[in-house]
Amino acid sequence: MGTASSILTQYDIEEVQEHCNNLFSQQEIVSLYQRFCQLDRNAKGFISADEFLSVPEFTMNPLSQRLLKMVDDLNFKDFVAFLSAFSAKASAQQKIELIFKVYDSDRNGKASFKDMLEVLKDLSGPFMSDEQREEVLSQVLREAGYTKDSYLTLDDFIKFLVNLT
């Protein structure tokens, strides 16, 4: 698995499966490897942010710029681990951890009001004013027992989501 042009061995496949909690079958791993090799245009063994931008579904995502920070320079194993959160077989915990990483763009382990506001802006685009976004987010935080000055850790974020439901 050192370079993208190498062939996956049975050991490699099993190692990748284990790395992503067996969410993908061996055939799915092989298919993902073929896609990885297509994206890794220079056969460097990792995919750059620029190479990710060649995926139309990725660039159409309103959160693509935030996601790019998470996917830049992924090797195959990490590529599959990243994609595993999107699997129907992924646990709620895995999905929540990925969502939290989207909010925690500076990777300090906390999501601030500003972080959450930026994600809301990315998602709402021109359909909401800055004032409307602030008002909505403030109200949602208040209803969940938080304030604009709160910093949410992953555990807080999970509690926050639970309080919203």
Side-chain angles (χ1 to χ4, degrees):
M1 260 187 338
T3 66
S5 61
S6 65
I7 308 246
L8 281 179
T9 66
Q10 183 65 32
Y11 174 80
D12 292 332
I13 293 169
E14 290 170 6
E15 183 182 358
V16 171
Q17 280 184 302
E18 188 177 315
H19 185 68
C20 16
N21 302 316
N22 295 304
L23 291 176
F24 296 111
S25 69
Q26 289 191 7
Q27 184 54 47
E28 288 171 322
I29 298 287
V30 170
S31 294
L32 287 170
Y33 187 69
Q34 291 168 345
R35 183 63 174 139
F36 178 86
C37 291
Q38 290 170 348
L39 291 171
D40 182 16
R41 293 185 296 257
N42 298 324
K44 305 172 299 297
F46 63 89
I47 302 173
S48 68
D50 288 339
E51 289 166 327
F52 263 101
L53 288 173
S54 70
V55 178
E57 297 84 357
F58 190 82
T59 56
M60 290 175 18
N61 187 317
L63 299 173
S64 63
Q65 292 306 307
R66 290 179 164 275
L67 291 169
L68 277 179
K69 293 177 185 176
M70 298 168 59
V71 299
D72 195 20
D73 294 336
L74 289 184
N75 63 26
F76 178 63
K77 226 161 101 169
D78 293 335
F79 171 74
V80 176
F82 172 75
L83 293 178
S84 68
F86 296 96
S87 167
K89 299 176 205 168
S91 69
Q93 180 74 22
Q94 288 171 293
K95 293 176 185 291
I96 290 170
E97 287 174 8
L98 175 71
I99 294 167
F100 181 76
K101 288 177 184 175
V102 169
Y103 283 93
D104 181 21
S105 64
D106 61 2
R107 303 288 171 256
N108 68 354
K110 298 182 257 181
S112 68
F113 182 80
K114 181 180 175 236
D115 293 331
M116 291 181 267
L117 200 55
E118 287 173 8
V119 171
L120 184 56
K121 184 175 184 173
D122 290 343
L123 292 171
S124 64
F127 301 107
M128 290 178 83
S129 69
D130 289 343
E131 295 78 24
Q132 289 172 316
R133 282 188 278 274
E134 282 195 42
E135 186 178 318
V136 166
L137 184 56
S138 294
Q139 179 64 33
V140 169
L141 285 171
R142 262 194 310 278
E143 287 178 14
Y146 296 93
T147 69
K148 286 174 66 170
D149 297 324
S150 299
Y151 284 87
L152 303 178
T153 63
L154 177 59
D155 289 340
D156 294 328
F157 190 72
I158 292 168
K159 289 176 197 166
F160 174 76
L161 292 176
V162 169
N163 287 339
L164 290 177
T165 57

